[in-house]
Amino acid sequence: MNIPEKFKYTSDHEYINLADTYGFVGITDYAQSELGDIIYMDITVSVGDEVKQGDVLGSIEAVKTVSELKSPVSGKIIEINTKINDNPSVVNEDPYNEGWMVKIQPSNMDEYNNLLDNVKYSELVGNN
């Protein structure tokens, strides 16, 4: 299971990969493997929306179930990865690169700093 070192994680299996003043948000490798084949993405926020930590950003429909994508931090939505609408399986194949879902500009770095690091997330999912 791939758990990148530089990312931060939530206990709900979302990640944020901070790059400069924004972060890429998606679901972890563990989450995509638990969900199974992802067949549809419904991102319900729009560019420019302000969200709070824990707000629902959309839903992920897989063969096995439907799951919510929640924001790991408060901030402003600055981009949505529309490419995953045409090819939702990219989230299964490459969740940390091509499979990101939204790009957010965090407004509270304390929230970011309090997320799980790769070691704590590994312990959570039993990958230690």
Side-chain angles (χ1 to χ4, degrees):
M1 184 179 334
N2 186 7
I3 303 174
E5 208 174 298
K6 63 180 182 167
F7 291 18
K8 293 282 200 159
Y9 303 90
T10 71
S11 57
D12 290 327
H13 311 291
E14 290 94 7
Y15 70 80
I16 181 167
N17 176 14
L18 207 57
D20 198 22
T21 61
Y22 56 86
F24 294 93
V25 174
I27 62 169
T28 65
D29 192 29
Y30 174 83
Q32 70 78 21
S33 69
E34 290 294 302
L35 287 170
D37 292 338
I38 294 170
I39 55 176
Y40 181 71
M41 300 291 310
D42 183 21
I43 304 300
T44 54
V45 293
S46 301
V47 171
D49 284 358
E50 295 282 343
V51 296
K52 296 204 178 318
Q53 185 178 42
D55 282 357
V56 174
L57 303 175
S59 61
I60 304 156
E61 187 175 330
V63 173
K64 295 181 188 177
T65 187
V66 176
S67 182
E68 293 180 326
L69 174 69
K70 295 179 183 173
S71 185
V73 294
S74 300
K76 183 178 184 176
I77 304 298
I78 56 174
E79 190 177 340
I80 295 169
N81 185 359
T82 56
K83 292 179 190 167
I84 58 176
N85 293 337
D86 297 330
N87 184 17
S89 66
V90 74
V91 176
N92 293 113
E93 297 156 11
D94 192 9
Y96 298 123
N97 295 301
E98 297 298 316
W100 64 272
M101 297 174 189
V102 300
K103 198 185 293 183
I104 190 168
Q105 186 172 25
S107 59
N108 183 339
M109 289 310 290
D110 286 341
E111 291 175 349
Y112 173 81
N113 292 329
N114 288 326
L115 293 171
L116 302 172
D117 63 16
N118 66 310
V119 174
K120 294 277 188 222
Y121 185 72
S122 291
E123 291 170 2
L124 176 75
V125 298
N127 187 43
N128 43 359

